[in-house]
């Protein structure tokens, strides 16, 4: 109970001193958010959990190299993001370029304009849209909204410029806005 | 009012505009229905993204990770002990050889004057080692060492295999 109130830095210092069990607190703190990001990037529950497990083991093994120069979350999400990219590339799946192409999002937008989807629950629809976003967009949306990370922190994780992070964020937001407009969901949303 | 593009609206939403730009966008939203609708829909999109709940891992996820970490520590400890025991064994063998060599040299010495003792000791000791690592004995010594290394290598490989098994999914 007391451990849960400690900061990431305090927990890491405790783990470094040999209290391995304290690492469980960090796992509990980040597992769901990191899992959400991985699931949205990999579009697969099982792979997401498998990669997440590797990420926690990797982070533990490299804890001595963590110099507290950045937040643990930024450092850990970089491991998670890079592991997801490695998994995607090893599976020979398409990895979008530094800037997601507009066509990708247009394709997504057109697939959510069908009339048979109008009656669908809005929250489910949004979840579906988020889950179908290209890997990089999904990662940005998750870190920005779920982890409440700043665009600067996200740029550090993704190793891209802050401007690029903002472009990805705005495009994803605009996509959802256009879907809401085209499907006349405005009243429903209000 | 048409100057208010999506980027400006997004920046307004994230509070990233300077005072002048902010005022401009605010006035546009208040005076133009089109801009107002665009902004409100964008705000709703923002709120919807915000409302998407996080996904959950399996219930025993933390336990599973900790179990793997513990298993890894145990294997690392076992490997350390194993390497230490192999090194100790090699050290012991070398010590036995040196001890035996000393015994042979000392037992073959005649009681002589103390000034000559050091010279004779080193000479005899050198000769003994030359004989010990001569062509015939070196083969035996090498074979024993190779055998020990082979056995150690096998056990090391076995430990590595076990550790891989622990960490594969």
């Amino acid at each position: 109970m007391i451990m849960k109130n400690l900061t990431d830095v305090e927990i890491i210092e405790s783990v470094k001193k040999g209290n391995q069990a304290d690492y469980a607190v960090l796992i509990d703190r980040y597992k769901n958010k990191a899992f959400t990001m991985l699931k949205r990037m990999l579009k697969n529950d099982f792979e997401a959990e498998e990669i997440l497990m590797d990420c926690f083991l990797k982070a533990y093994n490299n804890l001595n190299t963590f110099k507290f120069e950045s937040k643990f979350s930024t450092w850990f999400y970089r491991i998670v993001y890079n592991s997801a990219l490695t998994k995607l590339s090893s599976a020979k799946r398409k990895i979008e370029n530094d800037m997601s192409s507009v066509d990708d999002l247009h394709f997504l937008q057109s697939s959510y304009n069908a009339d048979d989807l109008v009656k669908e629950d809005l929250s489910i629809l949004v979840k579906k849209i988020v889950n179908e976003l290209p890997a990089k967009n999904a990662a940005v949306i998750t870190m920005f909204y779920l982890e409440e990370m700043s665009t600067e922190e996200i740029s550090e994780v993704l190793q891209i410029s802050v401007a690029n992070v903002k472009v990805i964020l705005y495009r994803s937001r605009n996509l959802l806005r256009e879907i809401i407009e085209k499907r006349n969901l405005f009243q429903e949303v209000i | 009012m048409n100057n208010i593009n999506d980027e400006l609206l997004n920046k307004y939403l994230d509070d990233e505009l300077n005072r002048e730009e902010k005022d401009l966008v605010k006035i546009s939203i208040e005076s133009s229905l089109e801009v107002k609708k665009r902004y409100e829909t964008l705000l709703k999109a923002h709120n919807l993204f915000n409302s998407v709940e996080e996904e959950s891992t399996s219930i025993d996820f933390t336990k599973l990770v900790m179990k793997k970490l513990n298993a890894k520590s145990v294997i690392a400890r076992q490997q350390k002990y194993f390497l230490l025991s192999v090194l100790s064994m090699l050290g012991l063998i070398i010590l036995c050889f040196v001890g035996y060599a000393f015994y042979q040299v000392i037992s073959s010495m005649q009681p002589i004057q103390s000034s000559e003792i050091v010279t004779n000791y080193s000479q005899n000791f050198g000769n003994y080692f030359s004989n010990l690592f001569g062509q015939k004995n070196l083969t035996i010594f090498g074979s024993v060492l190779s055998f020990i290394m082979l056995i150690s290598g096998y056990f090391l490989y076995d430990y590595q295999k076990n550790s891989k098994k622990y960490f594969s999914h």
Side-chain angles (χ1 to χ4, degrees):
Chain A
M1 288 298 278
I2 300 163
M3 284 303 294
K4 286 186 178 173
N5 298 326
L6 294 180
T7 62
D8 288 353
V9 174
E10 287 167 325
I11 295 168
I12 292 164
E13 275 169 352
S14 170
V15 175
K16 277 183 175 179
K17 278 176 193 164
N19 303 316
Q20 195 191 57
D22 293 349
Y23 192 61
V25 184
L26 273 186
I27 298 173
D28 282 335
R29 197 169 282 178
Y30 288 102
K31 65 178 181 185
N32 287 342
K33 284 179 179 129
F35 175 68
T36 309
M37 183 167 128
L38 280 168
K39 194 185 159 187
R40 286 174 185 174
M41 286 180 78
L42 301 172
K43 327 287 182 204
N44 182 308
D45 279 39
F46 179 74
E47 280 180 359
E49 199 160 303
E50 197 182 56
I51 298 290
L52 183 60
M53 208 171 275
D54 279 342
C55 290
F56 277 117
L57 293 174
K58 228 181 267 179
Y60 180 85
N61 291 334
N62 292 298
L63 219 50
N64 283 329
T65 65
F66 179 63
K67 304 286 178 207
F68 305 101
E69 284 161 0
S70 60
K71 280 185 185 174
F72 172 77
S73 58
T74 312
W75 183 73
F76 179 65
Y77 280 113
R78 200 184 306 156
I79 295 175
V80 172
Y81 180 74
N82 288 334
S83 302
L85 285 191
T86 308
K87 180 72 185 174
L88 284 170
S89 63
S90 70
K92 292 185 180 168
R93 286 186 217 168
K94 183 175 172 267
I95 303 172
E96 72 274 27
N97 295 326
D98 273 358
M99 296 292 298
S100 298
S101 81
V102 181
D103 291 341
D104 284 346
L105 299 185
H106 278 172
F107 169 77
L108 206 61
Q109 185 192 329
S110 59
S111 69
Y112 282 99
N113 282 331
D115 289 339
D116 56 342
L117 290 169
V118 172
K119 298 281 179 196
E120 197 170 25
D121 186 273
L122 195 63
S123 62
I124 295 172
L125 176 73
V126 177
K127 211 170 176 179
K128 269 188 181 177
I129 293 168
V130 172
N131 284 336
E132 286 183 30
L133 283 170
K136 197 169 276 180
N137 296 54
V140 169
I141 289 292
T142 310
M143 284 186 273
F144 187 81
Y145 286 106
L146 204 60
E147 186 57 39
E148 295 179 349
M149 286 166 84
S150 67
T151 47
E152 284 78 12
E153 285 171 322
I154 298 171
S155 79
E156 213 180 303
V157 173
L158 269 61
Q159 312 264 278
I160 57 172
S161 68
V162 175
N164 280 355
V165 172
K166 282 180 186 170
V167 170
I168 293 171
L169 178 67
Y170 296 166
R171 277 185 185 172
S172 308
R173 217 184 255 162
N174 289 340
L175 165 80
L176 185 57
R177 191 199 67 186
E178 282 168 31
I179 291 169
I180 292 170
E181 279 174 353
K182 288 196 175 166
R183 292 182 54 192
N184 293 320
L185 291 170
F186 190 70
Q187 290 304 318
E188 200 178 329
V189 173
I190 290 169
Chain B
M1 300 304 166
N2 289 332
N3 294 337
I4 310 300
N5 58 24
D6 288 344
E7 195 186 341
L8 262 179
L9 285 178
N10 270 291
K11 284 185 173 170
Y12 180 74
L13 190 68
D14 292 336
D15 200 20
E16 285 180 352
L17 297 176
N18 60 39
R19 202 184 174 91
E20 269 180 32
E21 289 172 322
K22 218 187 279 183
D23 287 343
L24 178 77
V25 175
K26 203 177 171 184
I27 291 165
S28 301
I29 290 169
E30 283 167 355
S31 58
S32 164
L33 266 176
E34 188 264 325
V35 178
K36 188 183 177 188
K37 194 183 171 190
R38 265 202 297 147
Y39 172 69
E40 283 183 347
T41 326
L42 193 67
L43 184 66
K44 293 303 163 192
H46 168 76
N47 290 338
L48 279 172
F49 273 138
N50 235 344
S51 67
V52 178
E53 287 170 8
E54 64 181 27
E55 310 271 349
S56 298
T57 57
S58 54
I59 305 162
D60 57 349
F61 180 82
T62 308
K63 267 188 190 170
L64 218 61
V65 178
M66 291 310 289
K67 202 175 145 189
K68 279 182 182 265
L69 281 179
N70 287 331
K72 204 192 165 193
S73 310
V74 169
I75 287 168
R77 215 178 305 134
Q78 279 177 343
Q79 280 180 344
K80 200 174 114 186
Y81 288 145
F82 176 73
L83 280 171
L84 270 174
S85 58
V86 168
L87 285 174
S88 313
M89 209 163 87
L90 280 173
L92 205 69
I93 289 168
I94 290 165
L95 210 69
C96 285
F97 267 107
V98 173
Y100 181 70
F102 263 114
Y103 169 75
Q104 288 296 319
V105 171
I106 290 165
S107 59
S108 66
M109 288 285 292
Q110 297 286 325
I112 46 172
Q113 283 185 352
S114 59
S115 57
E116 292 174 13
I117 286 176
V118 179
T119 323
N120 287 338
Y121 262 139
S122 57
Q123 208 170 15
N124 286 341
F125 198 62
N127 289 339
Y128 187 78
F129 264 97
S130 308
N131 291 333
L132 191 70
F133 293 112
Q135 214 170 20
K136 196 181 167 187
N137 288 334
L138 190 67
T139 318
I140 297 164
F141 187 69
S143 303
V144 171
L145 212 66
S146 306
F147 181 72
I148 291 166
M149 282 175 82
L150 211 68
I151 298 287
S152 315
Y154 170 75
F155 280 110
L156 199 67
Y157 169 74
D158 206 44
Y159 274 125
Q160 293 288 354
K161 210 167 69 179
N162 277 344
S163 64
K164 266 192 179 174
K165 207 162 67 186
Y166 266 111
F167 292 102
S168 61
H169 304 288

